[in-house]
Amino acid sequence: MKLKKQVTVCGAAIFCVAVFSLYLMLDRVQHDPTRHQSGGNFPRSQISVLQNRIEQLEQLLEENHEIISHIKDSVLELTANAEAPVLLSYSMANSSWGVPPEPRPSFLSISPQDCQFALGGQRQRPELQMLSVSEELPFDNVDGGVWKQGFDISYSPQDWEAEDLQVFVVPHSHNDPGWIKTFDKYYTEQTQHILNSMVSKLQEDPRRRFLWAEVSFFAKWWDSIGAPKKAAVRRPVPARRRGKALRSLGKEGVTQAPRSHLKMLVGTGQLEIATGGWVMPDEANSHYFALVDQLIEGHQWLEKNLGAAPRSGWAVDPFGYSSTMPYLLRRANLTSMLIQRVHYAIKKHFAATRSLEFMWRQTWDPDSSTDIFCHMMPFYSYDIPHTCGPDPKICCQFDFKRLPGGRINCPWKVPPRAVTEANVAERAALLLDQYRKKSRLFRTSVLLVPLGDDFRYDKPQEWDAQFFNYQRLFDFLNSRPELHVQAQFGTLSDYFDALYKRMGVEPGARPPGFPVLSGDFFSYADREDHYWTGYYTSRPFYKSLDRVLEAHLRGAEILFSLASAHARRAGMAARYPLSDFALLTEARRTLGLFQHHDAITGTAKEAVVVDYGVRLLRSLVSLKQVIASAAHFLVLGDKDAFQVDPKAPLLQTDDTRPSHDALPERTVIQLEASPRYVVLFNPLEQERLSVLSLLVSAPRVRVLSEEGQPLPAQISVHWSSATDAVPGVYQLSVPLRLPALGLTVLQLQLGPDGPRALPSSTRVYLHGRRLTVSRPEAFPVRVIDAGPGDFVLSSRYLQAGFSGLTGLLKSIRRVDEEQELRVDTEFLVYGTRTSKDKSGAYLFLPDGEAKPYVPKEPPVLRVTEGPLFSEVAAYYEHFHQVLRLYNLPGVEGLSLDVSLLVDIRDYVNKELALHIRTDIHSQGIFFTDLNGFQMQPRRYLQKLPLQANFYPMPAMAYVQDEQHRLTLLTAQALGVSSLGEGQLEVILDRRLMQDDNRGLGQGLKDNKRTCNRFRLLLERRTAGSKVPDGPTTSHPSLLSHLTSAHLNAPVLAMPVAPRPLPAAGLRAFRPLAAPLPCDFHLLNLRTLQAQDDASPSAETALILHRKGFDCGLEAKNLGFNCTTSQGRHRRPRGTHGAGRLPPPPGLGLRGLRRVISQAPPNPRLGCTSPRDSIASELRQTGLALVFCLLLLLCPGLPQPASESQGRAGEGRERRPWSAWAVLDPVLAQ
């Protein structure tokens, strides 16, 4: 009662303050001296001023009304919580349970300004909106002649009289870090020879150029070469050392160049490293954490070793393109980019409208702050036959690796001919014709012609053949002024620089007349109806393992940064295992390597997949070691007692994996007479209320907090199958409120006396099958032969209805609603075509609509009910589904937890799908996420084949109408679609016996037992909230963001080894005085490298993501205090005042350090929390924060004006990178 009064008084006080503030504003308006005129006469100018003031007042009134509404809602919820009884009663079918509530109420407070993110403000509609383009295109695939997927191109020789055609031929070699061969085998057999030859061959002629993209290969090669080669690549070699260097290089076949200096290849622009990522990543399945991380790893390596900062993006081989990647590249200060694998019908349309080059803008961006200039290659492939012009038969004749006598030839039966004095005129004319035709597809007279393919230039003979023959052609063309052409070798940035110069704009600026595009380029088809939508799901086991490694890497980064900083401040750096940083670096690079577009996609050879899997597991084990060491140090009460023993660590892991292709096995905590301890790490930046599940060896157990207070718990049988319980092993579930980024200590005791965990009850339905069911002692287990009728499970927040026959979900009802929503789940099976073209690792070519999954035997159902959670487990031959309801406020209790163990190893050319059918009137529109970063609207297009309507789902998908939104959140990337009204369909696994003719040469026959994890979230729209017609952008709700975070960043449990603890014991660790605002996500807290790759520096990178969210969905009973921030933050202590930052030249270390002395940005763009600077709080731990990268997904957020920042050696205007805030690298005193 006392708490209720306090809450009521507090709410009333807030309400009074708001009303009094409104009164003061009214008083100020009424007494403004400018409004009083003698005699009551108001000039027209004063009337205009008065009208403006009235409009401002109306806006203020509206905002105050919204604020008061939110205050009222918070007060009502606080009051409701305060009225809760001392014990929360849980009514179950088997008995009544009581669990003590949390001692403090919870509330959600959202600033009205933050709601503008979902509304988006006033934004201009881009000329090219990809959803609209797809709706309007006929996708008719008419034969275009020599350019099969295009059209005939004509031109007049006079077209270039006013302005010469400027051609840049860009030699490149695309090196897959694993595909047909493993990463190491590719390097040994091909890549190292390419790079060795590159050094010598580029030095032979300063006019030569070369483009490279994969830093993973380049770094491995760099570590193996000697100083002379490194000098030739990165810096000038003095003349007196030239002979020695050449002799050293000559041992590897380098011809002595007749120059006085070996000019640096990177510095002079002969060699360009494009994009600068660790790999050329897949853009469908990768999560944005991994995309950012591999980009930082590559950029830091380039800056440290080459002094280079990438300027342009190069993505010729990913199978479709996400709009997240151009955003990240622009934030990394790249100004231009190139893409290739886009649906052939879209390429044709863009070519016909000369829209192949455009400014790529985010759908949620109200202005041009996210724009990046993008070039789309127009033809079928990035190989030489499809890059010089529209006729591959002619272009193939200018691939001089295919000269007669070589290992490859031209499929069109017309081989190349070496260029000689006798034929140069004829050959040049033939090539120029292709150049001119290709240039007609673009808006400028600057032309890009890539010259390369997979693993090209691996032999010196190819370097000679390509460069000598093309140089003869260039010399001839350039010597004929009447041809109006200038041709040369160039890099990608050479091309973009020439284009900007010719258009008279600064690099990265929008050239006049060029279109603006928003949206993405999924799904991709390269010909006919061959849609590359199968790889969204191929090899889901490794897609799931990728996300597990990602979560552990993020947790390890945060704990290592905090622990090493504490150790340095305490003077214990020598005793802390800083060698763990080498394990962190290896894990970063392993995760980065797996983002490669033939790795996470599941499109590599089986032996290569095994190599990836071994790397992933090795890094996962290493990260568990890093986490355990850091947590051990941080929770020790007496830091002087810290001692690491790798063979007998204090903190153990909660699970282990016996092999790279096995599911994890949970650790069983052996309870003894003395207490056992468990250290828990919450990797989220907000406190979380979660149910933690542990396996213990005894059913009678007491759970105590760090202070020795008893905690409520539920004890359940641990099942190994539908009917078999694991003897001597039990599942202990405990509700815990865990601090943000904190470590908590839990105590377990054998509990024959006093309060202990309450047992759950179990009912097993056999459906007439003759099976023996385990009946553990102390647990009520009922075995029922006949199947039940439809039944429901309930919590205080949700009610779920199930089919008694199948055990599958049928409906969901929120307890505060009278009407339930049909959410009917079933499983479907797709076959593949019987014709020549069949589904494979890349392609999804079904034999029609999916058919219902028909089990051989009825399923066994097991229903478990208890005070903290209840669940239904349905066991089928090819999958086991467990659907759980948590009886807990907040994220855990407001959604359904779904776990699916899939095993289709006996399937032949079949694919298993989960189908969800609802009553939501979605009108053919659904939404899928892009890389877990943003949402993209989709529309089911009946004119396209079924497989064309599938899209990647790395994190979530939803359907909605005016009343409800149903969101399916996932912990692994899979393919998803909505093939009917209010439906979602997810492909769970694929087993295919043949290759799909895209170069792999294998089917998908190495399936594993795979556990897919989901959350199903039903939300109701608030009164007055409307779904916009024809949406071009959408956001998840705040609750959906938090649910995804809980799903993808689970609590990490570390049992303490059963041995005597130091006298000071273990203590909880709370690095933050207050959690971050709930619309902020701490993406990473990354310790940066020292000069030695294996050693950490004292500098740490803080990366935050401010999320846009939809305020039109209710968010009650969140279970914790949560507020948003309006983007306004206090300036960190030690910074230099408000100002604007120039952009760093990439994500390299030098770029970060270069701007440290600059002023931080506008406080609205800072990276700190409203109550107290998170940067200041983290500094109290001893962290030296070098920079803070704020990823903005916030329409309407103000951006800084353009400022001048020149690159070294270049005097040109640069756009500032508003997303950076740099914090002084000083340790806390």
Side-chain angles (χ1 to χ4, degrees):
M1 190 67 182
K2 182 178 179 181
L3 178 60
K4 177 181 177 181
K5 290 181 179 179
Q6 291 175 345
V7 169
T8 304
V9 171
C10 179
I14 296 172
F15 182 83
C16 292
V17 169
V19 172
F20 184 67
S21 299
L22 183 61
Y23 170 78
L24 290 179
M25 286 186 290
L26 285 168
D27 185 68
R28 181 179 177 183
V29 171
Q30 291 172 353
H31 292 86
D32 192 328
T34 61
R35 296 177 180 269
H36 295 279
Q37 302 291 332
S38 59
N41 297 321
F42 288 84
R44 288 185 177 272
S45 61
Q46 296 299 320
I47 293 176
S48 177
V49 170
L50 181 60
Q51 288 176 339
N52 291 335
R53 294 293 178 88
I54 291 174
E55 291 175 359
Q56 293 174 7
L57 179 59
E58 289 175 346
Q59 183 178 358
L60 288 171
L61 285 168
E62 184 177 351
E63 290 183 2
N64 273 273
H65 176 71
E66 294 181 15
I67 293 171
I68 292 170
S69 297
H70 281 284
I71 292 172
K72 181 180 177 182
D73 291 341
S74 298
V75 170
L76 289 175
E77 189 169 346
L78 284 166
T79 304
N81 284 323
E83 290 174 347
V86 175
L87 292 179
L88 301 181
S89 178
Y90 298 81
S91 297
M92 296 295 185
N94 50 358
S95 61
S96 180
W97 310 89
V99 176
E102 280 294 321
R104 54 179 175 161
S106 63
F107 67 89
L108 170 67
S109 176
I110 298 178
S111 168
Q113 289 88 336
D114 291 328
C115 296
Q116 297 302 314
F117 297 172
L119 301 178
Q122 298 295 323
R123 60 169 66 94
Q124 295 180 353
R125 181 180 176 86
E127 293 92 328
L128 300 171
Q129 211 293 321
M130 289 311 302
L131 182 62
S132 300
V133 170
S134 298
E135 291 172 350
E136 295 167 3
L137 280 184
F139 294 94
D140 49 5
N141 195 21
V142 176
D143 191 331
V146 294
W147 179 16
K148 290 292 184 183
Q149 296 172 335
F151 47 84
D152 289 332
I153 305 172
S154 60
Y155 65 88
S156 169
Q158 288 74 40
D159 290 344
W160 292 273
E161 287 184 351
E163 198 171 45
D164 285 355
L165 178 63
Q166 190 174 7
V167 181
F168 289 89
V169 175
V170 180
H172 70 95
S173 181
H174 176 60
N175 283 235
D176 291 300
W179 181 38
I180 305 302
K181 305 175 186 177
T182 64
F183 173 78
D184 289 333
K185 194 170 185 180
Y186 267 138
Y187 172 78
T188 302
E189 297 182 0
Q190 293 175 273
T191 303
Q192 66 170 332
H193 304 304
I194 297 170
L195 295 172
N196 285 334
S197 297
M198 174 197 72
V199 177
S200 58
K201 293 301 179 181
L202 290 184
Q203 291 179 113
E204 291 178 3
D205 189 337
R207 296 173 294 179
R208 294 179 177 180
R209 300 289 185 271
F210 196 64
L211 186 76
W212 190 263
E214 295 82 9
V215 176
S216 53
F217 273 131
F218 203 94
K220 186 176 179 66
W221 171 75
W222 187 262
D223 291 340
S224 71
I225 64 175
K229 261 186 196 170
K230 291 182 179 179
V233 172
R234 67 182 174 187
R235 60 181 176 85
V237 178
R240 65 179 180 274
R241 294 176 53 197
R242 183 187 60 176
K244 181 179 179 181
L246 285 176
R247 285 193 296 274
S248 176
L249 292 170
K251 296 177 183 179
E252 299 178 68
V254 178
T255 304
Q256 182 167 333
R259 303 191 297 273
S260 60
H261 293 83
L262 287 173
K263 295 184 176 180
M264 57 180 182
L265 301 180
V266 173
T268 59
Q270 281 189 268
L271 171 64
E272 179 179 11
I273 311 293
T275 307
W278 200 244
V279 297
M280 186 183 294
D282 170 53
E283 300 186 20
N285 300 287
S286 293
H287 192 271
Y288 79 102
F289 173 93
L291 291 176
V292 171
D293 202 65
Q294 64 89 29
L295 204 59
I296 292 177
E297 189 66 24
H299 281 211
Q300 288 190 341
W301 189 94
L302 288 173
E303 193 282 324
K304 175 183 171 184
N305 292 280
L306 301 182
R311 299 170 52 203
S312 303
W314 172 266
V316 293
D317 205 23
F319 323 134
Y321 298 92
S322 164
S323 55
T324 300
M325 200 63 187
Y327 173 81
L328 297 179
L329 295 182
R330 186 68 193 93
R331 287 291 180 250
N333 209 44
L334 278 70
T335 55
S336 315
M337 62 180 295
L338 174 146
I339 59 177
Q340 153 60 24
R341 289 192 183 271
V342 175
H343 194 295
Y344 62 88
I346 293 174
K347 283 192 172 190
K348 178 180 178 179
H349 173 68
F350 280 18
T353 57
R354 302 176 74 188
S355 301
L356 290 166
E357 291 179 322
F358 48 85
M359 301 302 294
W360 199 341
R361 181 175 299 173
Q362 300 303 305
T363 57
W364 40 265
D365 185 8
D367 51 37
S368 61
S369 64
T370 63
D371 286 9
I372 186 170
F373 186 78
C374 183
H375 173 101
M376 182 189 295
M377 296 172 64
F379 306 125
Y380 175 78
S381 175
Y382 56 85
D383 63 0
I384 297 175
H386 296 94
T387 51
C388 87
D391 192 342
K393 180 179 179 180
I394 293 175
C395 290
C396 193
Q397 298 174 45
F398 294 91
D399 181 0
F400 295 103
K401 183 177 181 177
R402 303 177 192 251
L403 285 167
R407 296 178 60 184
I408 59 173
N409 51 36
C410 286
W412 295 271
K413 308 300 182 184
V414 182
R417 286 186 284 159
V419 179
T420 64
E421 290 293 332
N423 67 7
V424 64
E426 177 265 329
R427 305 310 292 170
L430 189 63
L431 182 61
L432 179 58
D433 176 65
Q434 291 298 303
Y435 287 169
R436 286 174 169 174
K437 287 179 177 177
K438 182 177 181 179
S439 73
R440 292 294 84 193
L441 305 179
F442 296 90
R443 301 189 181 210
T444 74
S445 56
V446 183
L447 183 65
L448 174 68
V449 181
L451 185 71
D453 201 349
D454 293 355
F455 295 94
R456 282 302 190 90
Y457 303 95
D458 60 341
K459 292 180 172 56
Q461 294 82 354
E462 181 181 0
W463 287 87
D464 293 339
Q466 303 287 20
F467 281 100
F468 286 154
N469 284 286
Y470 268 96
Q471 194 60 58
R472 291 188 184 113
L473 292 166
F474 296 162
D475 291 343
F476 178 85
L477 293 171
N478 297 340
S479 66
R480 301 294 191 276
E482 68 276 10
L483 296 178
H484 299 290
V485 62
Q486 290 294 313
Q488 65 188 75
F489 292 116
T491 63
L492 184 61
S493 292
D494 289 339
Y495 165 74
F496 285 126
D497 288 343
L499 184 148
Y500 294 135
K501 182 178 180 180
R502 186 155 292 193
M503 296 303 295
V505 299
E506 297 297 324
R510 179 183 178 183
F514 278 60
V516 174
L517 177 144
S518 68
D520 66 340
F521 294 100
F522 293 115
S523 289
Y524 166 61
D526 58 349
R527 61 177 183 261
E528 301 170 356
D529 61 351
H530 293 190
Y531 282 84
W532 296 44
T533 53
Y535 80 94
Y536 300 156
T537 296
S538 295
R539 293 186 168 114
F541 178 90
Y542 293 100
K543 287 177 167 64
S544 176
L545 184 56
D546 162 79
R547 202 63 66 83
V548 172
L549 180 65
E550 180 180 303
H552 278 76
L553 177 59
R554 179 177 171 274
E557 295 273 20
I558 293 170
L559 285 179
F560 179 86
S561 296
L562 295 172
S564 58
H566 269 281
R568 280 192 299 269
R569 191 174 66 167
M572 300 181 60
R575 295 180 57 188
Y576 188 79
L578 297 179
S579 58
D580 281 0
F581 185 75
L583 302 179
L584 264 182
T585 300
E586 180 189 15
R588 292 169 178 174
R589 295 178 176 183
T590 297
L591 181 67
L593 184 70
F594 196 68
Q595 305 315 303
H596 165 54
H597 55 265
D598 280 309
I600 193 173
T601 54
T603 55
K605 289 263 190 191
E606 290 180 8
V608 179
V609 173
V610 170
D611 181 66
Y612 285 135
V614 170
R615 291 172 183 267
L616 292 171
L617 179 60
R618 183 171 62 238
S619 289
L620 182 59
V621 172
S622 297
L623 289 175
K624 288 179 180 290
Q625 176 183 327
V626 175
I627 291 171
S629 296
H632 176 188
F633 180 81
L634 292 171
V635 298
L636 271 183
D638 180 10
K639 298 293 190 289
D640 290 332
F642 176 71
Q643 187 174 2
V644 174
D645 183 357
K647 295 182 179 179
L650 177 69
L651 301 185
Q652 302 171 339
T653 59
D654 185 43
D655 60 40
T656 57
R657 292 178 184 252
S659 65
H660 72 91
D661 57 356
L663 291 171
E665 298 176 357
R666 300 282 303 280
T667 299
V668 180
I669 300 174
Q670 298 295 326
L671 298 179
E672 303 168 351
S674 57
R676 289 295 305 271
Y677 296 91
V678 181
V679 174
L680 308 173
F681 173 50
N682 171 24
L684 296 183
E685 57 282 344
Q686 287 92 25
E687 68 174 21
R688 71 195 292 170
L689 180 60
S690 295
V691 172
L692 173 73
S693 290
L694 302 169
L695 296 185
V696 296
S697 60
R700 294 177 174 85
V701 58
R702 298 177 62 206
V703 185
L704 305 178
S705 68
E706 180 187 356
E707 296 79 16
Q709 297 298 317
L711 298 175
Q714 174 178 324
I715 194 80
S716 308
V717 180
H718 181 56
W719 300 88
S720 61
S721 68
T723 57
D724 297 324
V726 181
V729 179
Y730 307 91
Q731 179 176 284
L732 175 68
S733 301
V734 187
L736 294 167
R737 188 181 295 276
L738 303 173
L741 302 178
L743 293 161
T744 302
V745 182
L746 202 64
Q747 184 179 158
L748 308 180
Q749 295 181 352
L750 285 172
D753 301 317
R756 58 178 184 264
L758 298 171
S760 60
S761 67
T762 303
R763 304 191 306 275
V764 180
Y765 298 95
L766 298 179
H767 287 109
R769 298 172 62 179
R770 302 191 175 209
L771 299 172
T772 301
V773 180
S774 300
R775 296 174 183 265
E777 295 182 7
F779 290 93
V781 176
R782 295 173 55 203
V783 179
I784 305 171
D785 290 334
D790 292 351
F791 62 96
V792 298
L793 290 182
S794 299
S795 71
R796 294 185 67 224
Y797 310 99
L798 289 177
Q799 177 178 289
F802 296 86
S803 165
L805 181 62
T806 65
L808 303 182
L809 184 67
K810 293 189 66 176
S811 64
I812 301 176
R813 183 178 72 85
R814 292 162 48 117
V815 294
D816 54 355
E817 290 186 349
E818 294 184 1
Q819 189 172 0
E820 66 182 16
L821 179 74
R822 180 172 70 110
V823 183
D824 200 357
T825 61
E826 63 176 329
F827 289 83
L828 306 175
V829 177
Y830 282 99
T832 190
R833 295 178 178 177
T834 57
S835 60
K836 177 182 177 182
D837 297 311
K838 296 181 174 65
S839 296
Y842 300 94
L843 305 184
F844 179 34
L845 296 173
D847 58 355
E849 294 184 359
K851 300 174 179 60
Y853 173 83
V854 180
K856 293 181 180 178
E857 295 181 291
V860 174
L861 306 184
R862 191 178 64 240
V863 181
T864 301
E865 294 182 279
L868 297 179
F869 74 84
S870 299
E871 67 180 23
V872 176
Y875 284 78
Y876 289 82
E877 180 183 3
H878 294 99
F879 59 89
H880 306 157
Q881 176 182 276
V882 179
L883 198 149
R884 177 177 291 188
L885 280 77
Y886 287 103
N887 208 353
L888 205 66
V891 173
E892 299 278 352
L894 295 175
S895 60
L896 302 180
D897 185 272
V898 182
S899 178
L900 269 169
L901 181 63
V902 176
D903 186 357
I904 61 169
R905 287 176 291 180
D906 63 347
Y907 269 4
V908 176
N909 278 331
K910 292 180 181 178
E911 308 185 32
L912 183 67
L914 168 66
H915 186 79
I916 303 173
R917 184 181 292 107
T918 74
D919 291 328
I920 292 175
H921 301 293
S922 58
Q923 300 179 350
I925 297 174
F926 61 109
F927 300 83
T928 67
D929 76 288
L930 293 171
N931 315 106
F933 184 68
Q934 58 184 317
M935 301 303 297
Q936 181 67 36
R938 312 291 187 189
R939 184 183 295 276
Y940 173 67
L941 299 177
Q942 292 185 343
K943 63 184 175 183
L944 294 179
L946 180 149
Q947 63 269 24
N949 286 285
F950 275 81
Y951 297 93
M953 181 185 64
M956 69 179 75
Y958 54 77
V959 290
Q960 64 182 11
D961 58 17
E962 296 290 343
Q963 284 78 40
H964 294 97
R965 174 187 288 182
L966 183 75
T967 305
L968 179 69
L969 301 108
T970 178
Q972 59 285 309
L974 297 168
V976 70
S977 185
S978 177
L979 302 177
E981 188 78 352
Q983 299 178 18
L984 285 174
E985 185 170 303
V986 182
I987 307 296
L988 298 173
D989 202 357
R990 325 173 64 226
R991 183 169 171 84
L992 303 160
M993 314 310 290
Q994 64 284 312
D995 181 43
D996 50 12
N997 299 312
R998 291 307 183 276
L1000 180 59
Q1002 288 182 348
L1004 291 176
K1005 297 182 285 186
D1006 56 345
N1007 300 74
K1008 320 295 180 189
R1009 293 175 70 244
T1010 302
C1011 185
N1012 295 314
R1013 296 181 57 242
F1014 306 96
R1015 284 287 180 93
L1016 203 55
L1017 175 63
L1018 175 64
E1019 296 174 282
R1020 181 175 59 196
R1021 287 211 160 268
T1022 57
S1025 172
K1026 294 183 178 180
V1027 178
D1029 296 330
T1032 59
T1033 185
S1034 182
H1035 296 287
S1037 66
L1038 199 55
L1039 177 59
S1040 186
H1041 278 307
L1042 297 172
T1043 304
S1044 182
H1046 278 234
L1047 181 61
N1048 286 281
V1051 175
L1052 300 181
M1054 292 163 278
V1056 179
R1059 67 190 193 207
L1061 296 175
L1066 306 178
R1067 298 177 181 175
F1069 172 73
R1070 296 176 176 85
L1072 300 180
L1076 269 67
C1078 46
D1079 57 340
F1080 269 70
H1081 172 52
L1082 190 150
L1083 188 68
N1084 208 348
L1085 187 63
R1086 192 181 204 266
T1087 297
L1088 301 179
Q1089 287 180 351
Q1091 281 302 111
D1092 175 13
D1093 280 353
S1095 302
S1097 71
E1099 300 169 332
T1100 308
L1102 170 65
I1103 306 177
L1104 295 179
H1105 177 196
R1106 186 184 179 199
K1107 298 187 175 185
F1109 56 93
D1110 189 342
C1111 290
L1113 296 153
E1114 289 185 354
K1116 295 182 178 180
N1117 300 311
L1118 283 181
F1120 57 87
N1121 298 338
C1122 185
T1123 64
T1124 62
S1125 61
Q1126 302 180 37
R1128 298 193 181 102
H1129 313 294
R1130 285 185 183 177
R1131 194 167 58 238
R1133 292 178 301 194
T1135 54
H1136 303 287
R1140 303 209 188 272
L1141 275 178
L1147 297 177
L1149 288 170
R1150 186 174 65 185
L1152 304 179
R1153 292 179 178 134
R1154 184 178 301 167
V1155 292
I1156 287 175
S1157 61
Q1158 304 288 337
N1162 187 309
R1164 289 199 61 177
L1165 297 177
C1167 297
T1168 56
S1169 64
R1171 282 187 54 191
D1172 192 12
S1173 164
I1174 180 177
S1176 298
E1177 292 174 20
L1178 290 173
R1179 281 211 194 95
Q1180 297 303 317
T1181 70
L1183 284 173
L1185 295 174
V1186 165
F1187 74 98
C1188 175
L1189 167 59
L1190 178 59
L1191 300 175
L1192 301 175
L1193 187 49
C1194 312
L1197 200 64
Q1199 303 291 335
S1202 296
E1203 296 183 21
S1204 177
Q1205 170 70 13
R1207 188 183 300 273
E1210 301 168 354
R1212 60 170 179 259
E1213 194 81 359
R1214 304 281 297 174
R1215 289 180 58 83
W1217 191 5
S1218 63
W1220 284 80
V1222 178
L1223 311 176
D1224 289 339
V1226 292
L1227 293 173
Q1229 300 300 318

